[in-house]
Amino acid sequence: MESSKNLTSLPEESQEGENHEQGEGKSTQTPSVSAFASVPRRPPTTESTLQKYSPLDWREFFDREEDVSIPNSNDVFHVYMAGNEGPVVFCLHGGGYSGLSFALSASKIKEKVRVVAMDLRGHGKTSTENDLDLSIETMCNDVLAVLKEMYGDSPPAIVLVGHSMGGSVAVHVAAKKALPSLAGLVVVDVVEGTAMASLVHMQKILSNRMKHFSSIEKAVEWSVKGGSLRNIDSACISVPTTLKYDESKKCYVYRARLEETEQYWRGWYEGLSEKFLSSPVPKLLLLAGTDRLDRALTIGQMQGKFQMVVVRHTGHAIQEDVPDEFAALVVNFISRNRIGPHGVEIPGLRRPSQPQR
C-alpha cells in the first residue's frame, strides 16, 4: 500500500514537502515536518547543477497568457490558456503555487480540449486590491468574475479542476450553482477531515520553512531535493512564479504571504465533503494515498457518488509529479461523462436558454 502521507492542505509549498519525506511504504500517525524545516543533505551547488534547475519557458506548454481585468475594481487576474476547441478545463492551483503548476499536464490536455489555469489572488502574476483576502467567498467570486469576463453570458462547458486549496475553491464554486455550464468537478488531493486536523500545525510549518533564496535556481533545487516536487521539469516551470525579488533583502522570497491568512484557513475546508458530494455534476477525486478519505467521503464512494483514483508513486502535487497520467485521467473523465463542446444537461443546474428551432 502507498505510504500514509499526511495531507496538510493549505500552505502547500510547505505541505508538499511534509507529505513526502516519510518514504514509500512507511506509515506514521505523528505529523510529519515540512521539507522547509531543515536543510536537506546535498552536494555543493555547481554551475552544471544550476543549469539543471534553470527556469523553463511556459510557452512550450501553454499557448498564450492573458490579463483579465474585473470591472469596477483594480483586480487583474493572470490566466494561461491552451487548446482551441472542446470544453474548458479550468484549473485552480493550491496555496503557494501558481497557474503554471498545471503547465506540463496542460500540454497534453490541450490535444483534446481547452485548458485555462488562473493565478489566484495573492499568487503568481495576479494583482488585486487586497492580496491577503483569501477567504473562500472572495476566491469563489474571483473565479466566477474571471469566467464571466472571459466567456460572457454563454460560457462553454466548464470542468473545474482544483488542487488542494484550489480544490476547496472549485467545490465551493460548484456548490453555489452559479455557473450554468458547469459540467464536471475534479478535486486533487484534498479531504476535509485530514485538512482540518492538520490546521494546528500550519503556522509552525510555515515558520520553519526556507524563506530566502539567492537565486531562482536555488529555490527550484530546494523544492526538488526537499521532496515537495518530484518532477524537475515541472519545478523549473512552476517554482519561479511562486517567488518575487525583494530589493531590500537582495534575495527571492515567496510571493504568497500565506502565514498572514490564517483567519481564512478553516473556512476553506469546513463542510467540504458534503459540498463535494452534493454537487450535481460528475465528480472525480484524485488522491496520492488511500488513507485520506473521511467518513462522509468513504460512505459516498461506497454509494458510487463520485469516482476516486489513487495515483501512486506521487507527491501532493499530482499534476506536477506525473503530468501525463494526470492529463490522461482528466481527459478520460471528460470522455466517459460525454462532456462535449456544447455542455451536458445536468439536473438541478439552470441551463442557458436555447434558441427556438
Side-chain angles (χ1 to χ4, degrees):
M1 178 174 149
E2 181 77 22
S3 67
S4 174
K5 307 184 192 72
N6 229 4
L7 174 62
T8 53
S9 308
L10 28 127
E12 283 88 354
E13 304 169 312
S14 52
Q15 77 189 172
E16 289 168 337
E18 65 169 328
N19 290 342
H20 312 304
E21 288 199 320
Q22 294 176 18
E24 299 296 335
K26 297 179 182 177
S27 178
T28 177
Q29 298 300 314
T30 58
S32 53
V33 296
S34 166
F36 296 95
S38 60
V39 179
R41 294 173 188 159
R42 60 191 181 197
T45 300
T46 64
E47 188 172 341
S48 60
T49 301
L50 287 180
Q51 188 173 5
K52 180 180 181 182
Y53 297 110
S54 295
L56 291 178
D57 194 330
W58 61 265
R59 291 173 185 84
E60 296 180 35
F61 310 96
F62 284 104
D63 298 336
R64 57 200 182 279
E65 63 181 347
E66 185 176 306
D67 284 325
V68 179
S69 298
I70 306 303
N72 304 316
S73 77
N74 293 320
D75 296 347
V76 180
F77 291 89
H78 198 75
V79 300
Y80 300 91
M81 294 171 284
N84 298 305
E85 57 184 12
V88 172
V89 175
F90 198 86
C91 302
L92 305 173
H93 61 78
Y97 290 80
S98 79
L100 293 183
S101 177
F102 294 94
L104 286 184
S105 53
S107 69
K108 298 294 183 181
I109 296 173
K110 73 178 183 181
E111 296 173 3
K112 301 293 184 182
V113 297
R114 286 177 280 178
V115 188
V116 175
M118 71 178 280
D119 289 342
L120 294 171
R121 152 181 315 252
H123 293 75
K125 295 181 180 179
T126 283
S127 172
T128 66
E129 295 176 355
N130 184 358
D131 280 354
L132 294 179
D133 181 6
L134 296 188
S135 66
I136 193 66
E137 188 71 20
T138 295
M139 290 193 289
C140 285
N141 289 339
D142 290 343
V143 171
L144 291 170
V146 168
L147 285 167
K148 174 78 170 178
E149 283 305 299
M150 291 184 69
Y151 302 112
D153 294 325
S154 302
I158 302 289
V159 177
L160 286 177
V161 177
H163 170 231
S164 209
M165 179 193 78
S168 72
V169 176
V171 169
H172 281 82
V173 169
K176 283 178 172 291
K177 299 182 180 178
L179 188 58
S181 66
L182 182 65
L185 178 61
V186 179
V187 174
V188 185
D189 216 39
V190 57
V191 169
E192 177 185 351
T194 322
M196 293 296 291
S198 52
L199 289 180
V200 65
H201 307 296
M202 285 303 96
Q203 281 294 3
K204 182 177 181 182
I205 290 169
L206 285 172
S207 65
N208 286 339
R209 69 178 177 173
M210 184 86 166
K211 295 180 177 64
H212 309 103
F213 300 96
S214 59
S215 68
I216 291 177
E217 288 83 0
K218 288 275 193 179
V220 174
E221 180 185 19
W222 182 272
S223 297
V224 174
K225 291 193 173 181
S228 60
L229 294 176
R230 301 185 179 187
N231 186 314
I232 294 178
D233 285 344
S234 188
C236 288
I237 303 164
S238 67
V239 170
T241 51
T242 67
L243 306 168
K244 65 179 181 180
Y245 189 73
D246 188 321
E247 286 289 350
S248 63
K249 298 176 181 176
K250 303 299 180 186
C251 64
Y252 289 90
V253 298
Y254 292 113
R255 159 80 170 91
R257 293 148 60 188
L258 295 174
E259 65 280 356
E260 299 177 48
T261 65
E262 182 176 7
Q263 60 183 308
Y264 305 119
W265 297 350
R266 184 169 293 273
W268 296 348
Y269 305 114
E270 277 183 331
L272 190 63
S273 292
E274 289 301 333
K275 281 185 168 63
F276 175 74
L277 292 170
S278 63
S279 179
V281 292
K283 296 175 286 291
L284 170 62
L285 178 63
L286 301 180
L287 296 177
T290 55
D291 55 339
R292 297 182 176 179
L293 290 189
D294 53 30
R295 186 171 183 271
L297 288 182
T298 299
I299 294 173
Q301 207 239 340
M302 292 172 65
Q303 295 173 336
K305 291 185 177 180
F306 64 95
Q307 178 194 4
M308 184 183 78
V309 176
V310 177
V311 186
R312 302 192 181 279
H313 312 297
T314 179
H316 176 50
I318 297 172
Q319 74 280 6
E320 297 210 44
D321 292 347
V322 287
D324 289 0
E325 184 174 354
F326 177 83
L329 287 166
V330 171
V331 170
N332 289 341
F333 169 76
I334 292 171
S335 175
R336 184 172 54 255
N337 290 287
R338 296 182 174 83
I339 301 172
H342 305 294
V344 291
E345 292 290 338
I346 304 297
L349 280 181
R350 179 177 60 82
R351 297 290 299 167
S353 58
Q354 299 295 327
Q356 298 294 321
R357 291 186 180 273

